[in-house]
Amino acid sequence: MAGVALKKGHSASVILMVDAVHLALPSALDKVNIGAPFEPAGELLEAFIEKGGNVLVCGACMKHNGVEESAIDKRFEVISGDDVVELLMNAKGSLQLN
């Protein structure tokens, strides 16, 4: 959905929180492919980043899940809970998928 937002001219950020912080590890999405009509997740991530999308990772969630900042994809930014609130409160719109 974030990739579609970029295609339509919107800015987009994906925030990895709770257990999703494990997806911040390099190559975590390389083998994720649920089949048609969806593209493989790794390809979607690369296209999203190439088009200017941001991937943000909750630092507290990382700590809770034992994920070290040094281990995550260097293209991703670690943010705080305060940052999450600011981003959501200042967003023109948001979409949450669990």
Side-chain angles (χ1 to χ4, degrees):
M1 297 300 154
V4 172
L6 291 174
K7 286 180 186 175
K8 293 184 175 273
H10 303 286
S11 62
S13 295
V14 170
I15 304 173
L16 301 176
M17 298 176 65
V18 194
D19 291 331
V21 298
H22 296 284
L23 298 176
L25 298 171
S27 305
L29 296 176
D30 286 355
K31 295 182 182 179
V32 178
N33 184 353
I34 61 173
F38 302 100
E39 297 174 46
E43 291 177 21
L44 291 172
L45 172 64
E46 293 305 319
F48 175 71
I49 291 172
E50 285 176 17
K51 289 184 173 77
N54 298 310
V55 180
L56 311 170
V57 188
C58 172
C61 299
M62 286 174 46
K63 187 173 187 175
H64 176 76
N65 282 285
V67 175
E68 296 290 328
E69 185 170 347
S70 62
I72 70 169
D73 190 315
K74 302 302 180 215
R75 300 172 295 175
F76 300 172
E77 179 183 350
V78 177
I79 61 173
S80 70
D82 290 348
D83 296 327
V84 172
V85 171
E86 284 300 312
L87 286 165
L88 291 174
M89 298 308 290
N90 292 314
K92 187 175 179 182
S94 67
L95 175 65
Q96 180 178 340
L97 301 173
N98 298 341

